[in-house]
Each structure stands twice: as C-alpha cells, then as structure tokens.
Amino acid sequence: MPAIASHNSIMAVKLENAGEVARSNGGSTPQKRRLRSDAAAVENMSPISTPMKLKSPRRCANSSPNSGANGIEMEINEKLMSARKSPVKKKLCDSFKSKPNWNPQDVEQMSAVREALHVSTAPSTIVCREDEQKKVLEFCKKNLEEEKAGSLYVCGCPGTGKSLSMEKVQHYLVDWAKEAGLQQPEVFSINCTSLTNTSEIFSKILLKLQPRKKLNGSTSPLQYLQNLYSQKLHSSVMKMMLIIADELDYLITRDRAVLHDLFMLTTFPFSRFILIGIANAIDLADRFLPRLQSMNCKPLVVTFRAYSKDQIIRILQERLMELPYIVFQPQALELCARKVAAASGDMRKALSVCRSAIEILEAEMRESVSKMNSASAEQGLFDQQAASAFEFFNSQANNFFLLLVRVDHMAVALSNTFKSPVVDTIKSLPQHQQILLCSAVKFFRGGKKDMTVGELNKSYMNICKTSVIPPVGTLEFFSMCRVLHDQGILKVGQSRDDKLKRVTLKADESDVTFALQGVRFFRNCLQ
C-alpha cells in the first residue's frame, strides 16, 4: 500500500506541474487539440462578439425548461430510453448491486432460499399474468353484478400460472364485492383429481350449497341441482356461487356426460353459479363439448401461453427480491430462463433447476472444506483444522462471486434436469425420424392425446413440403413409426390398416424440444 500511495502522489505532482506549464505557455504555444468544453469556455471569455447562431423551432422549444412541449418531449424521450433497455435485466442488475452476498453455509439462509424457490410457496404478487387475470375478473364481476350464471374455461400448458392466478382472482372478487356493497359470493374450489368418481363433483357442489340437505335414494345430486335452478322461488334466496374446478380434463368420460352436465347447469333459467374450469387441453371445449355451442353454452376461453425468457427472469426476480441478500449471478438466471423457455416455458421446471443449482454450489463448498481438512490431517496439523476452515470461509466471503450460484452451476443443473436417455436417443435419430417427431409434437400441442398414422403422415408431409425436403415413401414412413415405437418414443396401436393405427407420444414434449432446439430448422418447426 505505501508503494501504491507514493506512486499516486508522484503522478499527482507530475500532472499538477504539467498543468502549470500549460497555463504559462498558453499564449505562446498553440494547442493542436482542444476539447469542446475548453473551446466553449474560451468563446465565453472572449470580448469579441460572435454572430448568433439561429436555432430551429424544436431547439427553441426545448430551450425553455418550463414549456409544456418540453415536458412532454422529455417524458416521451424517457419512455423511449427505458423501452430500449431491458427493464428485467436492469432491475435485476440494480438489485444485484444493492444487496450483500449470502453465506451458503448458513442454515437459515439456505432454508429461506429453498423456500422462496419452492413451487408450493405462493408469491405475494403474480406477475406476467395481469391481462389474463383482468379478463377473468371482469367476466366474474359482470355476472355477479347482473346475478347471472356463466361459464369460463382457462387452458394452457402446465406450469403457466393458471391455478395460482385463479386463486388470486377469487380473493380479488370477494374483496371487490365487499367494497361495492354487493353480497359476497360463495366460493367452492375443487381439484377434480381428488374425486373418487367423476359424478361425485355434483355431490360436492350440493354439500357446499346446502350442507344439511339429505337426498332420497331416488334423486341424484345432479337431478336435485337441476330442479333447484329451474324454480325461481328456491333459487332467489340463494347466494351467487363461484365454482373453480381445477384439472377439469379428469372429468372426461367415454360419453362425456359429466362434463356436459356440469357446464349445462349454468344455462338453467334461475342458475346462481359461475363455473371456472381449468385444464391443460387448449381445445377441450371444441373437441369434447360440441353440443354446448348449439345450446348457447360454449364457455368463454382464456388461454395462458407458455412463459417467455423475460417473463421467467422477472418471476424469479420477484421471488428473490424478498431475500435480503444475493444468491444468483444475473447471467446464471438468464441462462436458466433461456433454456427453460426454449424447452417448455414451464415455470415449475425453472424453479426446480434453480434449486438444483443451489444444491450443486452447496456440494462444491462441502467438497472444498473436506479436501482442505484432509490435506491438513495428512500433514499432521490436526490442531489447525478449525482455523483453516475459518480462514477458508473468510477468504470465500471476501470474494463476492465465489459465494454465488454461477453460470457453471446453472449449466450443470440444466444438464441434469433435461438430460435423459430419451434426449440422447432423439439427438442420434436420422433427420426424417426427427421431422416425424416434430410433426407429432406440433399435432399433440392442440390438446389431442392420440392420432392415426395417416394423420401423422399428413402432418409430416406438410413440414417437408414447407421446408422443401423430399419426403420418404409411405412404406418407409410406416417403418419409421415402428422404429420409434420400439425405442419407446412413440406408441403405435393395433389395426389391420396401417393408416388407421392410433399413435401416442410416449416421450415428454419438453425432452423432444430440448433435444432438437440446437438445430435451427427444428427450432423453427417447433415454434
């Protein structure tokens, strides 16, 4: 430190002497280069007047700081500048700078981080789903004000915030009704996978509506509800009811009677409940409930799209903002968001990857301490083990980035999450078999669970035609389907006619997307 200080003082003296020489010789020696600020200062000091430069009307308007046009233009410029910069990255970097580093060896801190990144931990605010929540809330408000029944269908890929958003909408609606002076609705939320049989949902609704009601053996709960909502006398004294049925596709039976009867309850003349169904199938209403449209019962559809990279970063940021310390490098979070968005857009997958990366950092630090202690023991320094460990952690604490989850940790976590024998198998397939898989993935994204070999062949031919790739023949296509069936990627059913055999995708869609996303052609096909 003394050497650095003396060096700095010598440089300061040299710069000061150079400035004095320049000032003393300023009139005799011309300067070849002059800064703009210096030139402006010389012009202001010069007694010789210079001709005034004309200003454009825009610059004249901007010259007045109190003018209205100036304020508007400054505001627009600020918005444009903020739009050019990524608000997600800027906010993430700002929080990264303002918080102290964390200690992965602290049990309380580690527990708090894991809890913040756990799927079961509901965030205080749900971001990136404001538009969808507003649409559902406005629908419920309108029906509640008019005391009118209605049905709404929420669909989207897994891990896109459907169930969590509906929980928030439920609370918003109850609070709004209380503030508006309206009668608060009765709220009934149910996960259809918890039912022992599909028709039990009507018993649950009746139990919530009239807890003490006991039915005769000849009357079913569905029949009682239908009679109840057909009579004005009984229904007028009941409160409005909000029913949120999650995992609605579990109610799909062979004749689809339960699902049909559930939605039809909202069409009775004196019905008093609003039905919100949640499922992963995007076109459930169009495929399984064609009769609803003819009876004016087609529900309003609200689709939750897969999360983008910026949305995943923002959601992770909101969860980590509650912690008083920094856990991840911004680059590590960006890598996680980019890979998960490209594969599936599933937020639950992103949270799982982040927790895995934390565990990798924790294991790395334990291994470092173990190696250091074993080295000390081999040298016979048993009395210095505790001191060595303390010095190690002090040196780690002084280095900010060694305590953070870095890009290399996140890369290992992503590899462990998405790496599977299926991914390796898909990567090693011939090109036309990979195109066949892309065709199947695109077809099943519509919510269908199976298709015929003939339909799959048609989808495959369309991709080849669009990409100007010569397709294989029909017999070779059937052979490719059998090969993929033998490898466990597709499941091909039995039929006398090869074109009528039913095909289902046994591999996970995210595995197929992750395996093929490195090739631009397949990445464009799967978008």
Side-chain angles (χ1 to χ4, degrees):
M1 290 300 293
I4 296 174
S6 60
H7 175 71
N8 292 337
S9 60
I10 292 170
M11 292 298 294
V13 171
K14 287 183 179 181
L15 289 173
E16 185 177 359
N17 294 336
E20 292 179 358
V21 172
R23 286 193 294 271
S24 61
N25 298 336
S28 58
T29 58
Q31 295 181 356
K32 293 183 179 180
R33 299 184 62 184
R34 186 176 290 176
L35 297 176
R36 291 184 180 179
S37 58
D38 297 338
V42 171
E43 288 180 2
N44 293 334
M45 293 173 61
S46 174
I48 302 174
S49 62
T50 57
M52 184 180 64
K53 297 181 179 179
L54 296 177
K55 294 182 178 180
S56 66
R58 184 187 303 172
R59 297 182 67 180
C60 291
N62 289 343
S63 62
S64 175
N66 298 324
S67 63
N70 182 36
I72 294 172
E73 189 169 347
M74 288 179 63
E75 184 178 356
I76 293 173
N77 290 335
E78 289 178 359
K79 289 182 179 180
L80 289 175
M81 290 299 293
S82 61
R84 289 172 186 170
K85 298 179 181 179
S86 174
V88 176
K89 292 183 181 179
K90 184 177 184 299
K91 191 174 181 181
L92 188 61
C93 293
D94 290 344
S95 63
F96 181 78
K97 296 176 182 178
S98 60
K99 291 183 180 181
N101 53 334
W102 77 311
N103 182 10
Q105 299 297 323
D106 191 323
V107 178
E108 293 183 359
Q109 291 186 17
M110 179 63 72
S111 176
V113 172
R114 286 176 173 168
E115 183 178 357
L117 295 173
H118 202 275
V119 180
S120 62
T121 303
S124 56
T125 57
I126 302 176
V127 295
C128 304
R129 288 300 179 220
E130 293 83 1
D131 294 340
E132 291 84 354
Q133 292 180 29
K134 181 180 178 181
K135 189 178 295 185
V136 176
L137 185 60
E138 291 298 327
F139 173 82
C140 295
K141 282 182 180 180
K142 181 181 178 182
N143 289 344
L144 197 61
E145 284 179 332
E146 300 176 356
E147 294 187 355
K148 177 183 175 183
S151 58
L152 185 144
Y153 177 59
V154 176
C155 58
C157 300
T160 52
K162 301 185 297 295
S163 303
L164 197 59
S165 296
M166 293 307 103
E167 290 181 10
K168 291 294 181 182
V169 167
Q170 165 191 330
H171 296 306
Y172 293 154
L173 185 64
V174 172
D175 294 341
W176 171 82
K178 186 177 180 181
E179 293 176 359
L182 299 175
Q183 189 179 24
Q184 297 182 25
E186 193 78 33
V187 179
F188 175 54
S189 299
I190 184 171
N191 192 309
C192 296
T193 58
S194 63
L195 301 173
T196 54
N197 57 76
T198 56
S199 59
E200 189 185 1
I201 189 170
F202 302 113
S203 304
K204 298 285 187 181
I205 294 174
L206 183 59
L207 183 63
K208 183 69 176 180
L209 192 63
Q210 297 181 357
R212 299 181 181 179
K213 183 65 181 177
K214 293 183 179 180
L215 299 177
N216 298 325
S218 60
T219 305
S220 66
L222 173 60
Q223 292 174 343
Y224 181 84
L225 289 173
Q226 290 173 343
N227 294 332
L228 184 67
Y229 290 135
S230 300
Q231 303 175 12
K232 183 177 182 180
L233 180 63
H234 295 88
S235 62
S236 59
V237 297
M238 293 186 301
K239 296 171 62 176
M240 289 291 291
M241 188 175 186
L242 175 65
I243 299 178
I244 301 177
D246 202 356
E247 304 291 346
L248 192 68
D249 42 4
Y250 180 76
L251 299 180
I252 299 175
T253 55
R254 184 176 297 274
D255 58 355
R256 298 182 278 278
V258 174
L259 200 58
H260 178 264
D261 292 335
L262 179 63
F263 277 97
M264 287 302 297
L265 282 176
T266 62
T267 63
F268 281 78
F270 304 107
S271 181
R272 303 281 293 174
F273 77 85
I274 304 168
L275 173 64
I276 298 179
I278 308 172
N280 296 329
I282 294 177
D283 58 346
L284 177 68
D286 295 331
R287 290 190 299 111
F288 297 104
L289 304 173
R291 289 181 291 175
L292 292 182
Q293 188 173 7
S294 62
M295 303 183 68
N296 198 23
C297 183
K298 186 174 182 180
L300 177 67
V301 178
V302 178
T303 304
F304 280 60
R305 301 295 178 188
Y307 286 115
S308 65
K309 182 197 74 172
D310 288 340
Q311 288 175 332
I312 293 176
I313 291 178
R314 187 180 174 194
I315 295 171
L316 291 174
Q317 171 191 350
E318 290 293 332
R319 286 178 173 261
L320 296 171
M321 282 287 289
E322 300 179 1
L323 301 174
Y325 34 77
I326 292 299
V327 181
F328 294 86
Q329 279 186 349
Q331 297 85 350
L333 288 180
E334 186 176 354
L335 175 65
C336 172
R338 186 185 299 112
K339 293 294 185 182
V340 173
S344 59
D346 189 341
M347 193 61 217
R348 295 175 298 185
K349 187 79 72 175
L351 293 173
S352 175
V353 170
C354 289
R355 291 197 307 271
S356 178
I358 291 174
E359 294 173 358
I360 292 171
L361 171 63
E362 186 181 18
E364 181 184 86
M365 298 198 70
R366 283 199 305 265
E367 184 180 359
S368 299
V369 174
S370 177
K371 287 182 178 179
M372 182 184 58
N373 290 338
S374 61
S376 301
E378 289 176 0
Q379 296 175 5
L381 303 176
F382 297 100
D383 55 339
Q384 298 181 2
Q385 286 184 1
S388 300
F390 181 75
E391 291 175 2
F392 171 75
F393 285 118
N394 278 343
S395 62
Q396 293 283 67
N398 292 331
N399 193 337
F400 182 84
F401 290 99
L402 288 180
L403 293 174
L404 299 180
V405 178
R406 303 186 303 273
V407 174
D408 53 335
H409 300 137
M410 191 64 72
V412 174
L414 285 166
S415 177
N416 294 339
T417 301
F418 290 100
K419 188 177 181 180
S420 66
V422 177
V423 173
D424 296 335
T425 302
I426 295 172
K427 286 183 177 180
S428 62
L429 290 176
Q431 182 188 32
H432 281 276
Q433 293 184 22
Q434 292 175 341
I435 297 175
L436 190 154
L437 272 182
C438 286
S439 307
V441 169
K442 291 185 68 175
F443 195 91
F444 291 130
R445 277 179 178 173
K448 294 187 177 181
K449 296 183 178 180
D450 62 356
M451 63 193 300
T452 63
V453 174
E455 292 173 332
L456 181 59
N457 188 21
K458 184 177 179 181
S459 178
Y460 161 80
M461 295 286 287
N462 290 335
I463 291 181
C464 292
K465 183 178 179 180
T466 305
S467 308
V468 197
I469 297 176
V472 299
T474 305
L475 294 178
E476 188 175 353
F477 182 84
F478 293 156
S479 177
M480 289 195 303
C481 292
R482 285 194 294 270
V483 169
L484 294 175
H485 172 81
D486 295 339
Q487 293 179 337
I489 300 174
L490 291 179
K491 181 180 179 181
V492 182
Q494 300 292 329
S495 178
R496 292 183 179 180
D497 190 349
D498 288 337
K499 290 184 178 181
L500 298 180
K501 291 181 178 179
R502 310 300 297 183
V503 180
T504 55
L505 184 65
K506 293 188 66 177
D508 192 67
E509 179 186 338
S510 59
D511 289 339
V512 178
T513 308
F514 185 77
L516 302 179
Q517 67 178 349
V519 182
R520 181 181 300 177
F521 167 74
F522 295 114
R523 188 164 61 245
N524 294 335
C525 287
L526 293 170
Q527 284 180 351

